[in-house]
Every structure is written in structure tokens, then in C-alpha cells.
Amino acid sequence: MQFTAPQFKDNAARALADPQLQKALTNVEKGFIGKRAAAVAALPEFDALRDKGREIKNHTLAHLDLYLQAYERKVTESGGHVHWAESAEDARRLVLDICQRVGAKTVTKGKSMITEEINLNDFLFEHAIEPVETDLGEYIIQLRGEHPSHIIAPAVHLNKEQVEEDFRRVHTHLDPERDLTAPETLLSEARQVLRKRYFQADVGITGANFLIAETGTSVIVTNEGNGDLTQSLPKVHIVVASIEKLVPTLEDCSQILRLLARSATGQDISVYTTFSTGPRRTEDPDGPEEYHVILLDNGRTAMLGSEFQDMLRCIRCGACMNHCPVYHAVGGHAYGSVYPGPMGAVLTPSLFGVDISGHLPNASTFCGRCESVCPMHIPLPKMMRHWREREFEKHLNPATARYGLGVFAFIAKRPRLYRMATAIGARLLNLIGGSKGRITTLPFASGWTSIRDLPAPEAQTFTQQWAARQKQGA
Ligand code: SF4
């Protein structure tokens, strides 16, 4: 995908001015929040499970080298192959080598954010291999030549009329009388087309929600069953997964699975949870002849031991973006990177560098909802603050902001000066606000006042009012 994170402000302005997108984004608020809340309320031990999930992931990250080695041993014992990819380029090359060795012309794909991260589809196309997305949402955005705008609902930015239009444009065999606006009809139409593609595919590529060190198993959760067909019908199955997907045991995986669907879609559990261990054995009725796992680092090792390590606990449930007022306002594409919302605002600078991540760490109101709903207790606002500190240290913010903060720091460290400056400032702003109590233009704050009034403060500061009350009480 085209990386446009540095243009976040322009992307956001365009998104805010797009009435269709604004309407579609109301579905995020309406759809996900209530369902998650109901699922959480129905499980009294949900908070205890969150603690447990955090503990499992922290333990795994503290011993990641050992668990990765154990996982590789088990995959090899079961007849599979593990390949190590330090960078996105390495991972793409490994996928291509396997595809070219078996003469693949078509590959089917289960929904996978990691293959978005390494931009796999474009790369395969460039090498005359056609990737076919099989998850309905991913299939729709592939028809449109777009990228996901949400990590679990890739086409959430679209309305049903747009989707119908895309189907009619590409599925030219469709009867014009056939109503395609109901999700079931769309699903059945996509299913008919995709069935043929499954049988044509030489290779199936999936991501993994979890990798289990104890058994060498990769786990995917889906609601459509497309992942199962992707990984069991072609003769080669490739799993592309990042290293932090590891959990030590099946028991650990089952604990975190109880958090995942509830946090993501409000389901007790996803419709399909599929465990794959190695290629087809002689007694198996079906399955791939070759099973490969590509383990991707792509900057994760550098996060270990840093103030961003907690981000590696993420299980990609999407709850943080579902509850984020900034995501609700601008949608996922405005973030200009693979991962949107609060998790993207932390992960994008970690993976691609804060220098080119633009305003992402600033795209937050710091309301704290993301952290409060995160099933893995990831302190997202704290990590965004760390990125803001790095931005400041590297002089990436505008000079006016830096000088402004410098002046503030100078004053804030001198209590008498601070009290005097804030008293003058409050009085002045109160006078400017006049009888309406609102300020419509303000030098150095035109970004705020050009689109909304600033409420004028009280004429006295908090400390002045507090001192006056103390005096009255004495
Ligand atoms: S940061 Fe937390 S809430 Fe957001 S996707 Fe990851 S696990 Fe889910």
C-alpha cells in the first residue's frame, strides 16, 4: 500500500469532508461497541482473563528466543519448514521462492494483516502470480484496488451500494435483476466465484492469530470458513506470521481465545478456530503436501526491552480503534499505514520509524478508552506519549510548538512566575471572551479557532479561586 502517514493531516481533512465515509463510520460505533460490552458483561471472569492474558504474553516475550526455537523444532518434527525473515523484503522473497518452485500461478489468501504489512499482493502480481483474497471484506477491497481500513473489518468504510456497484462491475455474469444489497446474497455470490478459485490455487497463504510452541501449531480464527479452504485445498500452505504471535502452550492459547472474539466482534468465540500442525499425514483425508511458516521480525526485536515492548502483546482484536473518537471521525485510511487507530499510532512508528510517521502519535485525545478496553492491558496512551517525546527530541514537531513548550517549561519551573503569568493570561482571555464567554479568533491558535470557538476561561485561575475559598473558610 502507499504509505501516506506523513500526510495524516491532509488525509484526515479529506475524510472529515467525505459524507459517505462519515455515514459508514457510524457503523463502527453502532456495531462493535454494544456487542463487546454485552459479551464482556456476560463473562464475570473477563477482567481476570485479561490479567492472565497479559501474564502469558509478558512471560512469552521475556523468553521469546526459547519459545521460537521450541516452536521451530516442533514444526520440523511434524514435517513442516520454518523460514526466518528479518525484513518485509526477506518475507516477500521467501514466499515468492516457494511459489515459483511449485510453479504457482494463483494463490488464495486468508485474511492477514501481516501480508498487508509486507505488501505481498503487489509483489506477487509483479511476478505474474495472482493473489486471490477469500475473506469477503478483503475480497471487496481487492475488487476496488484498496487496502483494509480496519484490522478486522477491512471494508467498514464502504456502504452496501458501493459494494453492489463493485460486484456488478467485476462479476459481469450477474443478472441485473438480482438484489445484491443483503450481506447473505453478496456472500453467496462471492462464494460461487471463489469456489472455483480455491480449486485453481497452487498455494494457500494465511496469517496466524497464534503460534503454539508446545505443538508447532498455527491457529487462525475466521467467521466465514475461508481460511480453512485456503489452507487445506492447495498442495502448499504458507503461514506468514510475526514473531510475537507465539504462546507457549495450547492451554495459553485457549485462555487468550476467550478474550479475542469477545473484544473483537462481541462473539463468545469465532465461528471457526482452526489449528494446523504440519502437512497432511498419510491417514489425513485432506490437507497440503507442504507446510511452511515464515516468521517475520520486521522491527519487532528492536521493540523488546524498549518502552514499546508492551505493544507486542497485541492480539489484533480492533477494540482500541472501535472505541477511539479519532478513528470514528477519520476512519482507517487517514492513518496512511497498514495499522490504523491507537494500536497503529504506536506500532507504525515502531515498525517504520517515527521520522516518517507524521502525526500518528498525536492523533489521540488521550481519553484513555483504548487502554480501558484493550484485552491485553496495553498502555496505548502512555506509549503515544513516549513517541511524542521522541518527536520532540528529534525536532520533528513544528518550531512554534517546540518554542511554545520551551517557554511553558521555563515558566512552569518557577512557581511565582507561573502564578503571575497564568493570572494575567486568564484575565486577558476572559476579557477577550467578553459577555459571550467565547473566543472566535486567537493569534497562534488559529488551527483551533478557524473551525470552532474557544470557551473563555474564568477571570481567576484555579489557584486564585482556591486561595479565596480557603480565606473564606478560615
Ligand atoms: S492494542 Fe489491544 S485493543 Fe488494540 S488491537 Fe491490540 S489487543 Fe486489541
Side-chain angles (χ1 to χ4, degrees), residues 81-328:
H81 306 272
V82 170
H83 310 264
W84 300 87
E86 197 178 330
S87 65
E89 197 186 339
D90 294 343
R92 286 194 297 264
R93 181 54 58 187
L94 284 163
V95 173
L96 182 67
D97 286 350
I98 298 168
C99 291
Q100 287 182 333
R101 182 174 50 76
V102 299
K105 293 276 172 278
T106 307
V107 305
T108 41
K109 286 186 68 223
K111 184 177 153 3
S112 148
M113 290 309 293
I114 202 79
T115 58
E116 292 288 339
E117 181 182 319
I118 64 171
N119 212 6
L120 185 62
N121 285 7
D122 291 347
F123 183 75
L124 290 177
F125 265 125
E126 283 164 21
H127 291 83
I129 297 171
E130 185 191 7
V132 180
E133 295 290 352
T134 61
D135 169 88
L136 181 60
E138 292 278 352
Y139 180 71
I140 292 167
I141 57 165
Q142 191 178 28
L143 293 184
R144 298 173 62 82
E146 288 184 347
H147 292 274
S149 66
H150 189 289
I151 61 171
I152 63 158
V156 76
H157 58 289
L158 301 172
N159 61 34
K160 54 187 186 197
E161 288 75 23
Q162 288 173 295
V163 177
E164 178 177 4
E165 207 179 300
D166 290 321
F167 267 64
R168 293 209 185 279
R169 179 172 49 79
V170 180
H171 295 199
T172 44
H173 59 271
L174 273 168
D175 178 353
E177 298 301 311
R178 189 166 167 202
D179 176 19
L180 284 180
T181 49
E184 304 73 37
T185 332
L186 276 177
L187 194 57
S188 125
E189 170 58 21
R191 199 171 266 159
Q192 277 174 33
V193 171
L194 285 172
R195 290 272 154 168
K196 293 187 201 119
R197 308 312 305 270
Y198 283 123
F199 289 110
Q200 289 164 351
D202 311 287
V203 172
I205 301 176
T206 65
N209 292 90
F210 303 100
L211 301 171
I212 303 173
E214 180 185 32
T215 54
T217 303
S218 57
V219 184
I220 55 167
V221 298
T222 67
N223 280 325
E224 296 164 23
N226 61 304
D228 296 19
L229 294 174
T230 301
Q231 61 186 35
S232 56
L233 288 179
K235 56 180 184 268
V236 178
H237 176 201
I238 304 175
V239 180
V240 186
S242 47
I243 53 175
E244 82 279 13
K245 296 285 173 170
L246 251 291
V247 289
T249 64
L250 279 163
E251 171 65 26
D252 294 329
C253 177
S254 68
Q255 300 262 9
I256 303 180
L257 275 170
R258 299 184 71 201
L259 291 164
L260 178 56
R262 287 181 170 90
S263 303
T265 49
Q267 293 165 284
D268 289 349
I269 190 148
S270 305
V271 179
Y272 299 90
T273 301
T274 310
F275 294 72
S276 301
T277 312
R280 173 185 192 167
R281 286 152 297 203
T282 37
E283 66 274 23
D284 289 341
D286 54 26
E289 290 162 24
E290 289 183 29
Y291 177 82
H292 298 268
V293 183
I294 294 172
L295 286 176
L296 176 69
D297 184 330
N298 208 23
R300 273 116 178 135
T301 306
M303 293 165 72
L304 285 170
S306 77
E307 60 265 67
F308 304 106
Q309 174 168 315
D310 289 342
M311 194 61 225
L312 296 173
R313 292 202 300 267
C314 177
I315 55 171
R316 308 287 190 269
C317 70
C320 55
M321 58 199 75
N322 294 341
H323 291 75
C324 175
V326 177
Y327 183 95
H328 292 168

Side-chain angles (χ1 to χ4, degrees), residues 312-456:
L312 296 173
R313 292 202 300 267
C314 177
I315 55 171
R316 308 287 190 269
C317 70
C320 55
M321 58 199 75
N322 294 341
H323 291 75
C324 175
V326 177
Y327 183 95
H328 292 168
V330 299
H333 286 158
Y335 290 79
S337 179
V338 183
Y339 302 106
M343 58 83 76
V346 174
L347 199 54
T348 303
S350 307
L351 300 184
F352 304 104
V354 71
D355 313 51
I356 57 160
S357 297
H359 279 281
L360 299 193
N362 303 307
S364 171
T365 61
F366 280 172
C367 64
R369 283 177 95 192
C370 51
E371 182 175 356
S372 72
V373 296
C374 174
M376 304 307 288
H377 283 303
I378 298 176
L380 293 154
K382 186 172 101 184
M383 287 189 283
M384 278 185 253
R385 258 184 227 113
H386 286 316
W387 278 126
R388 290 182 184 191
E389 284 157 19
R390 298 268 179 105
E391 276 187 320
F392 188 78
E393 285 160 13
K394 289 179 158 223
H395 290 198
L396 295 171
N397 338 54
T400 44
R402 281 205 317 282
Y403 292 134
L405 284 170
V407 171
F408 174 77
F410 179 85
I411 296 172
K413 282 186 216 156
R414 291 161 179 82
R416 284 184 65 187
L417 180 62
Y418 178 83
R419 280 197 295 275
M420 198 169 76
T422 50
I424 294 170
R427 185 84 194 120
L428 209 61
L429 289 173
N430 182 270
L431 281 173
I432 296 172
S435 58
K436 287 195 180 142
R438 308 196 72 77
I439 300 165
T440 51
T441 52
L442 201 58
F444 308 115
S446 57
W448 176 287
T449 53
S450 65
I451 47 172
R452 50 184 145 10
D453 293 348
L454 180 74

